[in-house]
Amino acid sequence: MVQQQMNGSLSIRSKQRWLFVAVACVSVFSLTTCARGAPRTDEERVAFWIEKLAADNDATVRAYAAAMLGQIADADADQSTLIETLMADPDIHVRTNAATALGRIGGETLLRSVDALLTAMKHDDAGLRSNAAMALAGVDPSLPADHVDALIVALGDVTLEVSVYCATALAKIGAPAIDDLVAALADPDQKAGAASALSQILDEIPPDHLPALVNGLADDDARVRRGCAQVLGRIGDAVVPDLVKVLDSGPQHAKIAAVVALTQLALLDATQLIPHVAVLIKALDDESNEVRAPCATMLGEMGSAAEAQLTITLATGSGHARAGAAKALALIVPHVSEEYVPNLVAGLGDMQSLVRRSCRLAIANVGPMAGLDLIKALDPNSEAKNRLEILNSLIEIGPHADALVAVLLQALKDEDVYVRLRAVEVVRDEVGSNSDIVSAAMIDRFENDPEVSVQLAAIGALVVNPWGGRANEAYWHAARNAGGRFGLGHFGAVIRRRH
């Protein structure tokens, strides 16, 4: 063991000595070069590294020279040495660096090297193919259209980076490449890259290519489905019937892709989906939330055109459908028509919390105009959770008319403690002409409610609200009792400061 440790220590020391010698040699070489007159201008440095690239016997030096030229060479100068290196150097790493350098230099140099780069993309080495494709993708503004065929073939490369870079290059070419790209959707090796390229092209897609793109929504490759959906989402109303048909009766993965396209179309103009409200509402009951959620959003963006059918679904649909309908109604801008507020109020009693929450949001959008419908629905014989949801909505819609006070006073005596607590919250925020009645109700809850939480909430309401009149007597009465019963004499101090 000791001998092994000694051998390990000797090995580390040996490596350290060799590292020191290497650093020293590099330093000596650098000093010697400077003494001889190292290249100082850009032109001299380029010439120096071109010489190293062309004549040095060490492949490592040539690879480094190619990398340096990529950083300092002029795009308009003659870089034929780099192109020759890309084509013929015996070391693959040197050729790979030469491809990268040509891409970095860009400009006319890159355009002159296109044929060499395309040839390099046929090499067996994946790194060389990838770097050559990356250089071609950087051609600005784009490659000539006569190179489309070669790029289409390269879309099927087994190396993903090559396919991705070629798709970018084809997208830059634009309209001249569309026909070949659509045809490539039928090739099992090229279809993913072709769909990606098409999704990046902003030029108009000819109508005769729409069937191929729609068929791509059902492809077994997610990249094809995604690319085709993105293209279709930019086309406009001409493709809406086909997308709706897929949504209505296509396979599940195709439905999800169709929804992606329809969502893009709805962002541009949701009114073009109005004739297809029934299909979108049917989709609210789909097995996948990736279908249900976007369809609910689209229905909400249609506004009043979908209200009637949404309220019917809210009342009679399945669990998923009711949740989606409520979400859509909550998204309508500025709000649901007043005639449908009773439907929303009824939705507050739904067994699903998602439905109740969305209905509350929709009612809050309506505002105080929904107050009367909420008051009418506050039935003491209904379930406690229904009464609680109605009170929550009353709180959310803001100031109410004095006529609401009577209903709230009734809720203060509700059998459910949570309903009473929420009623106290509403009354606490209700400052109107019924101040004596309100203060008396708070005193009553303080003295007679069986729950301490309600008693404390009631006296808290008395503290924060200066109702005036006979309310002052109530404040003092409540303060004395609070101090004696709960050890909360600080309420008296608060009241004295306020009144």
Side-chain angles (χ1 to χ4, degrees), residues 396-411:
E396 290 167 355
I397 65 176
H400 318 302
D402 290 343
L404 176 61
V405 173
V407 176
L408 294 173
L409 293 178
Q410 178 183 349

Side-chain angles (χ1 to χ4, degrees), residues 412-414 420 424 440-451 454-455 458:
L412 287 171
K413 298 182 180 181
D414 194 277
R420 296 199 303 276
V424 169
M442 292 297 100
I443 289 294
D444 177 71
R445 285 301 87 203
F446 168 70
E447 293 181 336
N448 300 316
D449 200 279
E451 294 290 337
V454 178
Q455 295 173 17

Side-chain angles (χ1 to χ4, degrees), residues 36-258:
R36 292 175 182 172
R40 298 182 182 277
T41 65
D42 288 343
E43 290 79 6
E44 290 175 343
R45 285 196 291 271
V46 169
F48 173 81
W49 290 114
I50 286 178
E51 181 183 353
K52 293 292 182 183
L53 180 64
D56 202 286
N57 293 326
D58 190 337
T60 303
V61 173
R62 297 198 306 277
Y64 186 74
M68 288 300 298
L69 287 170
Q71 297 182 39
I72 64 176
D74 186 351
D76 297 325
D78 180 16
Q79 304 299 341
S80 56
T81 303
L82 264 178
I83 298 175
E84 292 170 5
T85 299
L86 171 64
M87 294 291 293
D89 196 280
D91 188 273
I92 193 63
H93 301 294
V94 178
R95 297 177 70 178
T96 300
N97 278 14
T100 304
L102 290 166
R104 285 177 175 270
I105 294 170
E108 291 298 321
T109 293
L110 182 54
L111 285 174
R112 287 193 293 269
S113 65
V114 167
D115 290 335
L117 290 167
L118 288 170
T119 300
M121 287 198 344
K122 300 176 183 178
H123 197 276
D124 292 338
D125 185 79
L128 177 56
R129 297 199 309 275
S130 179
N131 284 28
M134 180 172 62
L136 291 169
V139 174
D140 191 25
S142 70
L143 287 167
D146 53 359
H147 295 303
V148 167
D149 291 343
L151 292 171
I152 291 285
V153 172
L155 288 176
D157 197 282
V158 294
T159 302
L160 178 61
E161 287 82 0
V162 177
S163 178
V164 169
Y165 288 131
C166 288
T168 301
L170 286 161
K172 284 187 173 183
I173 294 174
I178 289 177
D179 291 345
D180 292 302
L181 285 170
V182 173
L185 290 174
D187 187 285
D189 296 324
Q190 299 170 357
K191 61 183 181 180
S196 175
L198 286 166
S199 70
Q200 300 174 60
I201 295 176
L202 300 181
D203 298 278
E204 183 176 351
I205 304 293
D208 56 329
H209 290 321
L210 295 185
L213 292 169
V214 173
N215 289 337
L217 298 178
D219 195 90
D220 56 357
D221 190 322
R223 294 171 297 174
V224 177
R225 298 196 299 271
R226 181 170 58 249
C228 290
Q230 291 172 349
V231 177
L232 292 167
R234 294 196 299 265
I235 290 177
D237 56 1
V239 75
V240 169
D242 293 318
L243 292 173
V244 171
K245 183 177 180 181
V246 173
L247 175 61
D248 188 32
S249 58
Q252 191 62 33
H253 58 275
K255 289 182 180 181
I256 295 172

Side-chain angles (χ1 to χ4, degrees), residues 174-421:
I178 289 177
D179 291 345
D180 292 302
L181 285 170
V182 173
L185 290 174
D187 187 285
D189 296 324
Q190 299 170 357
K191 61 183 181 180
S196 175
L198 286 166
S199 70
Q200 300 174 60
I201 295 176
L202 300 181
D203 298 278
E204 183 176 351
I205 304 293
D208 56 329
H209 290 321
L210 295 185
L213 292 169
V214 173
N215 289 337
L217 298 178
D219 195 90
D220 56 357
D221 190 322
R223 294 171 297 174
V224 177
R225 298 196 299 271
R226 181 170 58 249
C228 290
Q230 291 172 349
V231 177
L232 292 167
R234 294 196 299 265
I235 290 177
D237 56 1
V239 75
V240 169
D242 293 318
L243 292 173
V244 171
K245 183 177 180 181
V246 173
L247 175 61
D248 188 32
S249 58
Q252 191 62 33
H253 58 275
K255 289 182 180 181
I256 295 172
V259 164
V260 172
L262 287 168
T263 300
Q264 287 184 226
L265 291 168
L267 289 174
L268 299 175
D269 181 14
T271 59
Q272 58 190 318
L273 301 179
I274 291 176
H276 309 287
V277 167
V279 175
L280 292 173
I281 286 183
K282 176 184 174 183
L284 294 178
D285 200 27
D286 192 85
E287 66 184 62
S288 171
N289 190 52
E290 292 182 83
V291 174
R292 298 194 304 268
C295 285
T297 301
M298 286 185 279
L299 286 163
E301 290 171 348
M302 291 182 197
S304 59
E307 284 181 329
Q309 295 184 62
L310 284 171
T311 52
I312 293 173
T313 304
L314 178 62
T316 62
S318 66
H320 286 318
R322 295 198 312 277
K327 176 184 175 182
L329 289 165
L331 291 173
I332 292 177
V333 177
H335 57 74
V336 173
S337 302
E338 291 180 47
E339 62 182 294
Y340 297 115
V341 170
N343 302 82
L344 296 174
V345 174
L348 294 176
D350 195 274
M351 66 179 66
Q352 289 194 79
S353 60
L354 287 175
V355 176
R356 298 196 301 270
R357 182 162 60 246
S358 294
C359 286
R360 279 175 54 187
L361 288 172
I363 290 171
N365 291 338
V366 176
M369 292 181 293
L372 184 58
D373 290 300
L374 288 168
I375 294 170
K376 291 178 180 178
L378 194 57
D379 183 359
N381 297 318
S382 61
E383 293 187 31
K385 65 180 179 65
N386 296 7
R387 302 195 299 274
L388 182 58
E389 288 291 349
I390 291 173
L391 285 176
N392 285 334
S393 290
L394 287 169
I395 294 170
E396 290 167 355
I397 65 176
H400 318 302
D402 290 343
L404 176 61
V405 173
V407 176
L408 294 173
L409 293 178
Q410 178 183 349
L412 287 171
K413 298 182 180 181
D414 194 277
E415 63 182 22
D416 187 82
V417 61
Y418 296 106
V419 174
R420 296 199 303 276
L421 277 172

